[in-house]
């Protein structure tokens, strides 16, 4: 992408009355507004460096895994959609989960976030066994997810969407809710945090609009910003690039790498190979419900199992994953 | 034509007892449907819960307890206990019965179960089986529970009040009703503006999104179901006190749909909608009824068009026509926002 052209497009997309953009696209990676004490302890550079010693094989052990899944099996009737023997996700890096259509990526993703229950297997997140934990409690442990079909809450304003994301709100208890003095001060803090995030995601001008009036890309941004209100340690993104205007792609990528640089762990499911090549630090490949390969993004295209999975086993050249780069 | 009685009837509809009853029930339904997205087609059973909770405590359960345990609970003690049972205990039981099996499922399951529970309760209550009739008095219903309430009335029973609109007892009931209604509306207003209300709206928009942000959707839906049911029960209780009888057929399915009409007319998801909706609904129903009756009896409307006995049906035909027009020209209701409503379609 060429700088000027892209910036102009971005301007049109985000700021109707084109004012100057606050800074170079890189500034979106400054996630200081969401950095919590827990995240400050994570050295993302060191975490990435540590991946260098990890063998490129399915189920590889990571030096500091935040999420571990063991023997996770999910069947739909006679069909085994997911059968993952062992997966570890390294803390503080961006991990991509890829695979051809029908590989079970989204099913596996739902199992990892507890939006679906596996028939067998255990999952441990950040020291908590989450096998019998309801989906809504996962957020309190610091894992938050987004959805493939963006779930902007259409008939709520953007700022309401944001404020909803904060956890531990006193005013969300029924009896306290009718006594505004019990939660007004906390509400102010939450609102300030929400406004700072909206600023960061360049959505401030939409603050009081209904989320339903936003474009697809803006909804993606809102969903991501709202997820950050949870103050997560791990962000799970289900096809973050699906349906996003190319002009916004770069900005979204910037935000995702920004999460990592702030110390968060990111796992995303994606079809878009450009994105996988560009921002992921580690790639996990699924096919037919199994983990068939792992490794740094640059090596994945040469992996025989991956090539077979994508193209079938009869072919003669290595898969060219970075066609457009 | 006696315009005086037509106007009187109009005002009795706009501000009278039926308005209060249906406004309260619609506030509850607004909490269910307008804010949480719960399809409750059994609001009548919550109203019946309020009516029967009070009536049974005073008329059957209380006296039976006095006899069997040798207690000596006075009628007024039983009346206040009955209010507690009717407003809290029964609605909570019904909400659990409806909600526990269905609130984890898609919205339509709740719709089916609510309408079923409402009809099952009504049919059981009107059963002539001696074992049940002993407690509910079948289709004749229970009486003799409203004495304590009217004893508190400061108004003379022989006089008429507020431009002759109400008798003393009616006046007392209506004033108490207005206060309760204002209180309910204020509570609803506070709830909706709180973070709690924000979670309800999020659940209405997308349950999974709310869950991914750490909100226990099931628990919030249950709280909304119970709370909305309580508002309905208060309405039903006022209805029973107004009629001085708790009768199963005062809580047929039609009652639920009248509540829905009041809510849709006002515009679901707005705090004042149920109140204005119920007021207009009963104002118009009363007006058309008296107007047509007066017209028929004064021969302004000839018998070839309709007779006095047909007025009852004709006014509901008019109501149906009105609803069809509302759906066509102002689907968002009086307070609704058309742009907001259209966001669904994107």
């Amino acid at each position: 992408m060429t700088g000027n052209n892209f910036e102009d497009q971005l301007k049109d997309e985000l700021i109707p009355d084109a004012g100057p953009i606050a800074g170079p696209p890189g500034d979106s990676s400054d996630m200081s507004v969401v950095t919590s004490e827990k995240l400050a302890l994570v050295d993302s550079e060191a975490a990435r460096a540590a991946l260098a010693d990890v063998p490129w094989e399915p189920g590889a052990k990571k030096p500091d895994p935040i999420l571990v899944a063991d023997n996770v099996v999910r069947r739909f009737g006679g069909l085994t959609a997911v059968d993952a023997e062992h997966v570890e996700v390294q803390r503080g890096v961006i991990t991509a989960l890829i695979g051809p259509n029908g590989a079970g990526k989204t099913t596996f993703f739902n199992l990892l976030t507890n939006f679906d229950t596996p028939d067998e297997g255990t999952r441990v997140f950040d020291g908590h066994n989450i096998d019998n934990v309801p989906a809504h409690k996962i957020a309190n442990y610091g894992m938050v997810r987004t959805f493939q079909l963006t779930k902007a809450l259409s008939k709520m304003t953007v700022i309401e969407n944001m404020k909803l994301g904060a956890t531990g709100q006193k005013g969300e208890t029924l009896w306290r809710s009718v006594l505004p003095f019990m939660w007004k001060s906390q509400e102010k803090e939450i609102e300030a945090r929400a406004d700072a995030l909206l600023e960061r995601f360049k959505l401030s001008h939409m603050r009081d609009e209904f989320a339903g009036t936003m474009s697809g890309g803006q909804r993606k941004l809102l969903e991501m910003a709202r997820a950050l209100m949870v103050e997560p340690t791990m962000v799970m993104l289900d096809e973050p690039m699906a349906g996003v205007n190319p002009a916004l792609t770069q900005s979204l990528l910037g935000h995702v790498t920004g999460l990592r640089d702030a110390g968060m762990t990111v796992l995303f499911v994606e079809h878009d190979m450009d994105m996988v090549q560009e921002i992921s630090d580690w790639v996990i490949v699924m096919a037919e419900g199994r983990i068939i390969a792992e490794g740094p993004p640059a090596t994945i295209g040469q992996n025989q199992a991956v090539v077979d999975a994508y193209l079938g086993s009869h072919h003669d050249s290595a898969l060219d994953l970075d066609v457009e780069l | 034509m006696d315009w005086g009685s037509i106007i009187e009837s109009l005002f009795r509809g706009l501000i009278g007892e039926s308005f209060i009853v249906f406004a309260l029930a619609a506030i509850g339904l607004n909490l269910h449907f307008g804010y949480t997205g719960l399809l409750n087609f059994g609001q009548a059973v919550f109203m019946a819960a309020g009516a029967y909770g009070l009536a049974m405590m005073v008329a059957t359960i209380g006296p039976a307890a006095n006899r069997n345990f040798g207690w000596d609970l006075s009628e007024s003690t039983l009346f206040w206990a009955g209010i507690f049972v009717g407003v809290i205990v029964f609605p909570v039981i019904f909400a659990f019965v409806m909600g526990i099996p269905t609130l984890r499922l898609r919205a339509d399951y709740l719709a089916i179960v609510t309408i079923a529970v409402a009809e099952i309760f009504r049919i059981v209550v009107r059963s002539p089986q001696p074992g049940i009739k002993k407690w509910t008095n079948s289709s004749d219903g229970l009486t003799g529970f409203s004495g304590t309430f009217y004893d508190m009335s400061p108004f003379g029973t022989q006089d008429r009040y507020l431009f002759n609109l109400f008798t003393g007892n009616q006046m007392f009931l209506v004033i108490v009703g207005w206060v309760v209604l204002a209180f309910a509306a204020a509570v609803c207003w506070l709830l909706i503006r709180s973070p709690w209300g924000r979670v309800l709206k999020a659940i209405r928009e997308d349950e999974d999104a709310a869950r991914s942000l750490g909100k226990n959707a099931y628990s919030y839906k249950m709280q909304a179901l119970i709370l909305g049911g309580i508002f309905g029960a208060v309405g039903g209780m006022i209805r029973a006190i107004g009629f001085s009888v708790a009768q199963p057929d005062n809580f047929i399915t039609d009652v639920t749909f009248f509540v829905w009409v009041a809510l849709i007319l006002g515009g679901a998801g707005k705090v004042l909608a149920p109140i204005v909706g119920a007021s207009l609904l009963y104002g118009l129903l009363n007006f058309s009824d008296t107007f047509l009756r007066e017209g028929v009896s004064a021969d302004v409307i000839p018998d070839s068009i309709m007779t006095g006995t047909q007025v009852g049906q004709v006014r509901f035909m008019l109501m149906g026509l009105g609803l069809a027009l509302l759906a066509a020209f102002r689907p968002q209701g009086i307070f609704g926002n058309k742009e907001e409503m259209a966001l669904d379609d994107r």
Side-chain angles (χ1 to χ4, degrees), chain A residues 212-262:
Chain A
T213 62
M214 298 174 116
S215 72
Q218 287 173 326
R219 289 181 197 206
K220 287 274 178 200
L221 287 176
L222 172 63
E223 198 182 30
M224 202 181 282
R226 188 178 65 196
L228 295 183
M229 288 295 290
V230 174
E231 298 188 307
T233 48
M234 182 166 189
V235 182
M236 312 276 284
L237 306 170
D238 194 357
E239 301 209 16
M241 290 301 147
V244 173
N245 174 340
L248 265 180
T249 314
Q250 212 58 31
S251 140
L252 257 175
L253 292 181
H255 286 302
V256 176
T257 45
L259 302 183
R260 173 194 61 195
D261 297 339

Side-chain angles (χ1 to χ4, degrees), chain A residues 1-12 21 25 247:
Chain A
M1 294 240 196
T2 50
N4 280 341
N5 213 345
F6 156 69
E7 283 214 5
D8 288 347
Q9 279 174 318
L10 191 66
K11 251 185 242 174
D12 291 347
I21 283 196

Side-chain angles (χ1 to χ4, degrees), chain B residues 170-233:
Chain B
Q170 284 171 340
M171 191 71 235
F172 181 55
L173 181 70
V174 166
I175 287 177
V176 171
W178 288 339
V179 171
V180 171
L181 186 57
F183 178 75
V187 168
C188 192
W189 189 84
L190 280 171
L191 286 172
I192 289 321
R193 265 152 196 75
S194 74
W196 186 83
R198 188 159 64 215
V199 177
L200 290 197
K201 283 189 252 176
I203 289 169
R204 175 191 69 193
E205 296 301 303
D206 196 305
E207 219 179 300
D208 279 339
R211 214 173 275 131
S212 76
L213 297 170
K215 318 301 176 197
N216 185 349
Y218 179 74
S219 158
Y220 280 97
K221 287 202 282 187
M222 186 60 91
Q223 291 172 33
L225 188 63
I226 291 174
L227 206 60
I230 285 175
F231 287 130

Side-chain angles (χ1 to χ4, degrees), chain A:
Chain A
M1 294 240 196
T2 50
N4 280 341
N5 213 345
F6 156 69
E7 283 214 5
D8 288 347
Q9 279 174 318
L10 191 66
K11 251 185 242 174
D12 291 347
E13 177 73 28
L14 286 179
I15 310 167
D17 337 306
I21 283 196
D27 88 321
S28 60
S29 62
D30 173 15
M31 285 290 160
S32 51
V33 281
V34 291
T35 306
S36 67
E37 286 158 34
K38 203 168 179 185
L39 294 177
L41 300 173
V42 179
D43 181 350
S44 150
E45 301 239 345
R48 264 180 287 168
L51 282 176
D53 303 329
V54 175
W56 305 347
E57 59 188 33
K61 296 254 185 299
K62 310 291 186 312
D64 180 17
I66 187 169
L67 180 63
V68 182
D70 265 307
N71 299 312
V72 171
V73 179
R74 179 72 170 103
R75 297 187 197 90
F76 297 108
L79 174 81
T80 304
V82 168
D83 182 1
E85 211 172 287
H86 184 81
V87 179
E88 294 186 0
V89 178
Q90 166 78 346
R91 188 191 307 270
V93 306
I94 300 178
T95 304
L97 181 61
I98 65 168
N101 282 329
K105 304 181 294 291
T106 296
T107 310
F108 187 49
F109 186 85
N110 285 339
L111 293 171
L112 292 178
T113 51
N114 245 356
F115 271 69
D116 191 9
T117 317
D119 296 301
E120 293 164 28
T122 56
R123 295 147 298 158
V124 176
F125 170 69
D126 211 4
H128 306 278
N129 183 312
I130 57 171
D131 290 333
N132 296 311
V133 175
H136 69 264
K137 283 204 179 138
I138 302 287
N140 299 331
Y141 293 159
M143 183 201 279
V144 66
R145 68 165 292 177
T146 65
F147 295 85
Q148 186 179 342
L149 297 171
T150 320
K151 294 185 186 298
L153 306 166
S154 303
K155 289 188 201 169
M156 296 170 73
T157 62
V158 170
I159 188 74
E160 274 185 309
N161 260 276
M162 293 295 290
K163 286 195 281 189
L164 178 74
T167 47
Q169 295 192 43
K170 293 192 188 110
E172 285 182 356
T173 318
L174 181 55
W175 69 270
R176 281 201 202 99
S177 69
V178 287
L179 307 170
F181 62 88
M182 303 281 302
W183 47 264
K184 263 286 177 311
S185 65
Q186 191 193 25
E187 180 86 352
K188 280 213 180 81
E189 286 164 29
I190 291 169
E191 193 163 326
R193 204 149 60 80
D195 275 324
L197 270 170
L198 283 180
E199 188 74 29
R200 181 63 54 209
F201 280 79
K202 302 201 173 78
L203 290 172
S204 293
H205 62 292
M206 299 291 287
R207 187 182 189 275
D208 298 310
E209 306 286 331
F210 283 120
T213 62
M214 298 174 116
S215 72
Q218 287 173 326
R219 289 181 197 206
K220 287 274 178 200
L221 287 176
L222 172 63
E223 198 182 30
M224 202 181 282
R226 188 178 65 196
L228 295 183
M229 288 295 290
V230 174
E231 298 188 307
T233 48
M234 182 166 189
V235 182
M236 312 276 284
L237 306 170
D238 194 357
E239 301 209 16
M241 290 301 147
V244 173
N245 174 340
L248 265 180
T249 314
Q250 212 58 31
S251 140
L252 257 175
L253 292 181
H255 286 302
V256 176
T257 45
L259 302 183
R260 173 194 61 195
D261 297 339
M264 280 171 247
T265 310
V266 178
L267 177 89
F268 69 91
V269 174
E270 190 52 71
H271 279 300
D272 181 350
M273 284 304 162
D274 284 349
M275 175 176 179
V276 174
Q277 294 287 344
E278 197 169 336
I279 65 165
S280 61
D281 303 308
W282 192 259
V283 180
I284 299 174
V285 189
M286 283 184 81
E288 291 172 350
R290 295 170 179 279
I291 311 295
I292 57 160
E294 282 192 38
T299 68
I300 281 299
Q302 274 79 49
N303 184 305
Q304 194 56 42
V306 178
V307 177
D308 288 351
Y310 269 88
L311 297 180
S313 43
H314 302 290
H315 53 79
D316 18 62
S317 68
L319 183 61
D320 188 9
L321 287 179
D322 42 9
V323 210
E324 286 172 25
L325 287 175

